[in-house]
Amino acid sequence: MTPSAQPPRPRRVYCATLGCDKNLVDSEALLGRFALAGVQAVNDLDEADIWVLNTCGFIDAARSDSEETLEQLIELKTDQILVVCGCWSQEHGETIQERFPGVDLVAGVGQFDKVVEACTGQAKRSTAEAVFPLADAPIVDEPEAVHYTGMVDRPLLTPGHLAFVKIGEGCNFNCAFCRIPLIRGKQRSRSISDITTEVRRLVERGVSEIQIVSQNTSDFGRDTGENLHQLVAALDGIDGLHSLRLLYLYAGLVTVDDLLRLLEFPTVAPYLDIPIQHASPRLLKAMKRPGGPEAHARFFGELRREHPDLVLRSTALLGFPGEEEEDVAMLADFLAEVEFDHLGTYRYSPEAGTSAERLEADRVSDEVILDREALIMDLQAEISLRRQQRRLGREFEVVVDQVVSGDDLENDGTEDILASFAEGAWHGDESLCGPDALLGLPGAERGPVAWARSHHFGYDLDGVVLLPGRGLSPGQRLSARFEGATSYDVWAVPRT
């Protein structure tokens, strides 16, 4: 292609994000760097000149999802610039470039400025005529060499009243099943000063809720001489910040007293996300994870004694090599004792470079893993419903994340959630206070429905609180009475 035939400089970018909320923050940071170069972020694929796929590579299922999404984008692509970045391409960039010629640029994690330079024509080409590929080789640095610029003043891909704030990168713990240290490197904590500046500016833009994330939030500041309590104390003093939610804490790295001190801050929501991965001491040792059923039961029991309404979220890994039926039974007994409000599960997959990769002889079959996961999630559904039922008839503050018009209820899953309440538990008479009574009977014109959350629900992690949405708007806070519940969601009525 000759210089005179080069396409016009792209001016709009669309970013699809896969994986965790930490990856979402990376996408926001990348879009912020594009904005500084004069490229506008858009939500419609068809409006964009640049398509970015920010991938996940945590486990095999995530890599498969990344690959399938990329194939879909290549099929739709005409003359757009297609960029693949993130965890998958950090480790498999050359393979992606070879297998998918429709991809114009491959980059690893945190390469925000280099991606923008290449896509906007600011990067040097290998020849005067060359336009594609935008780089002769994937743009990938060693994880510890990556600088995550652009966190402050980034655009948000969440509702305007809420933001995830990433307080560090990488992890110092080499859990046997986990590739994060290989992909993201060792722990690098941001400074409290930098994080506080970011949060202040977010609050000035209307953000009232911050969800603190990192690979290992408990380990914050170990490499810089600061600590999590100092960070929360600094953020708690920001005027206009209503709520802080702490995610990805390690039970073996914080004490009950540590967490109770954090929960004393007015802005800290009584909600803690503490992944356990399992309850079998034998498996936890093989996983290189701290704790066990007795230690964890004491830990969570003490937290609940001090805070009976404390919401606890956790994660369990099923199918780790060598897992036996008695290990799963031990996990089930532990869950029944502790009663987490929310539990996520995922299935083990062998990951190159991890110590568990050597345990191939002890692999658990996929069929057995699926059965065990179903057993655990059925149990958790019963536990979660009991926890939800205890809140029925009580009033809680909720924040509205979005309002769905009556015409759109079928398009975004709202109708399915509403229908699920028919099988749920109720405080009052469903025929008087349920969705049909307050929104109109099926077939009639239905009013808007608000998707909201009380402190019991993390954004895009747990369930939602649905309530009649007439007169409500995103970001609004109000008191609502919980009337109906399933294992996952709540139907509420605004206080009159």
Side-chain angles (χ1 to χ4, degrees):
M1 181 180 290
T2 63
S4 61
Q6 289 181 7
R9 180 179 176 181
R11 305 302 298 180
R12 293 185 175 184
V13 57
Y14 170 87
C15 184
T17 306
L18 303 178
C20 65
D21 40 44
K22 298 176 285 294
N23 218 30
L24 181 74
V25 176
D26 285 354
S27 291
E28 293 172 343
L30 175 59
L31 293 176
R33 308 311 281 182
F34 269 115
L36 291 177
V39 181
Q40 176 188 356
V42 294
N43 295 323
D44 190 336
L45 195 70
D46 295 332
E47 295 180 5
D49 308 291
I50 304 170
W51 293 354
V52 177
L53 176 61
N54 189 6
T55 62
C56 179
F58 179 53
I59 56 177
D60 186 61
R63 291 188 291 274
S64 296
D65 188 26
S66 296
E67 183 172 331
E68 291 173 6
T69 305
L70 177 57
E71 289 173 343
Q72 293 168 5
L73 290 174
I74 290 174
E75 185 175 343
L76 294 171
K77 179 188 172 186
T78 54
D79 58 353
Q80 298 87 357
I81 294 175
L82 177 55
V83 180
V84 179
C85 61
C87 290
W88 181 38
S89 50
Q90 173 72 18
E91 295 196 297
H92 302 281
E94 292 184 359
T95 301
I96 294 169
Q97 198 164 46
E98 293 171 0
R99 286 188 55 201
F100 301 98
V103 174
D104 301 303
L105 180 66
V106 178
V109 296
Q111 305 292 340
F112 309 140
D113 288 330
K114 292 179 181 178
V115 168
V116 173
E117 289 170 359
C119 290
T120 56
Q122 299 171 17
K124 294 181 179 179
R125 309 291 191 217
S126 58
T127 68
E129 291 80 19
V131 175
F132 299 118
L134 298 181
D136 297 326
I139 302 173
V140 177
D141 288 334
E142 291 297 319
E144 283 82 4
V146 175
H147 298 284
Y148 289 80
T149 58
M151 298 298 174
V152 178
D153 294 329
R154 68 187 192 272
L156 297 179
L157 296 173
T158 52
H161 57 278
L162 175 144
F164 290 98
V165 170
K166 186 159 62 170
I167 63 174
E169 193 59 64
C171 183
N172 289 337
F173 286 79
N174 295 308
C175 298
F177 54 86
C178 183
R179 293 194 54 74
I180 291 299
L182 301 173
I183 299 172
R184 296 275 180 167
K186 294 295 185 182
Q187 170 93 15
R188 285 103 70 210
S189 301
R190 297 172 63 193
S191 70
I192 290 178
S193 174
D194 186 39
I195 298 168
T196 303
T197 297
E198 176 185 345
V199 173
R200 286 187 187 280
R201 293 184 182 175
L202 287 169
V203 171
E204 289 170 0
R205 290 160 51 189
V207 171
S208 61
E209 177 180 349
I210 296 294
Q211 303 212 129
I212 295 292
V213 296
S214 67
Q215 271 79 36
N216 182 353
T217 299
S218 305
D219 216 25
F220 171 79
R222 188 181 298 270
D223 52 325
T224 62
E226 298 179 321
N227 60 56
L228 185 60
H229 188 274
Q230 292 169 338
L231 171 62
V232 173
L235 298 180
D236 184 72
I238 296 177
D239 290 338
L241 179 61
H242 187 278
S243 176
L244 276 174
R245 197 179 296 266
L246 300 174
L247 306 178
Y248 308 114
L249 297 158
Y250 275 44
L253 297 180
V254 288
T255 66
V256 171
D257 288 342
D258 291 334
L259 295 177
L260 293 178
R261 290 174 63 213
L262 290 172
L263 290 168
E264 289 176 356
F265 288 106
T267 56
V268 174
Y271 172 112
L272 298 174
D273 173 51
I274 308 176
I276 58 165
Q277 308 305 350
H278 218 285
S280 163
R282 182 179 64 85
L283 285 186
L284 286 170
K285 183 177 180 180
M287 291 179 180
K288 299 183 179 178
R289 294 282 301 187
E294 294 183 1
H296 278 157
R298 287 195 301 271
F299 178 85
F300 291 113
E302 289 178 28
L303 282 174
R304 277 264 168 77
R305 276 192 294 275
E306 295 295 327
H307 281 270
D309 290 333
L310 177 66
V311 177
L312 294 174
R313 187 182 200 281
S314 196
T315 308
L317 170 61
L318 279 302
F320 187 83
E323 183 184 67
E324 302 286 353
E325 294 297 335
E326 57 260 33
D327 298 308
V328 181
M330 190 176 297
L331 174 61
D333 290 343
F334 174 77
L335 295 176
E337 178 180 2
V338 173
E339 289 199 332
F340 290 111
D341 297 85
H342 310 288
L343 180 78
T345 61
Y346 63 106
R347 304 159 199 162
Y348 172 80
S349 68
E351 298 299 318
T354 63
S355 58
E357 184 188 18
R358 301 191 297 268
L359 304 176
E360 184 67 22
D362 296 323
R363 281 285 304 277
V364 181
S365 72
D366 292 341
E367 293 79 9
V368 170
I369 295 176
L370 285 170
D371 288 343
R372 291 175 180 177
E373 184 179 43
L375 183 151
I376 291 298
M377 290 312 296
D378 285 347
L379 170 62
Q380 181 59 40
E382 297 174 4
I383 294 170
S384 294
L385 181 59
R386 286 199 300 270
R387 299 287 300 173
Q388 299 266 56
Q389 285 179 287
R390 295 170 191 169
R391 302 174 189 128
L392 294 180
R394 298 170 60 186
E395 290 186 0
F396 298 96
E397 182 184 70
V398 300
V399 60
V400 178
D401 288 330
Q402 64 171 320
V403 178
V404 181
S405 70
D407 295 334
D408 292 332
L409 297 183
E410 295 182 2
N411 299 328
D412 60 3
T414 305
E415 192 72 54
D416 292 337
I417 299 178
L418 291 173
S420 72
F421 288 121
E423 304 298 325
W426 287 87
H427 164 66
D429 187 339
E430 180 185 356
S431 65
L432 298 177
C433 62
D436 288 341
L438 299 180
L439 297 176
L441 295 174
E445 182 179 350
R446 309 195 81 176
V449 175
W451 287 53
R453 289 172 300 107
S454 59
H455 74 266
H456 309 93
F457 303 96
Y459 176 78
D460 207 27
L461 289 173
D462 310 314
V464 295
V465 178
L466 296 188
L467 62 161
R470 196 174 304 280
L472 302 182
S473 57
Q476 183 176 349
R477 293 182 179 274
L478 67 151
S479 180
R481 186 176 65 253
F482 285 12
E483 291 288 354
T486 68
S487 297
Y488 308 103
D489 306 298
V490 168
W491 171 256
V493 177
R495 184 179 66 181
T496 56

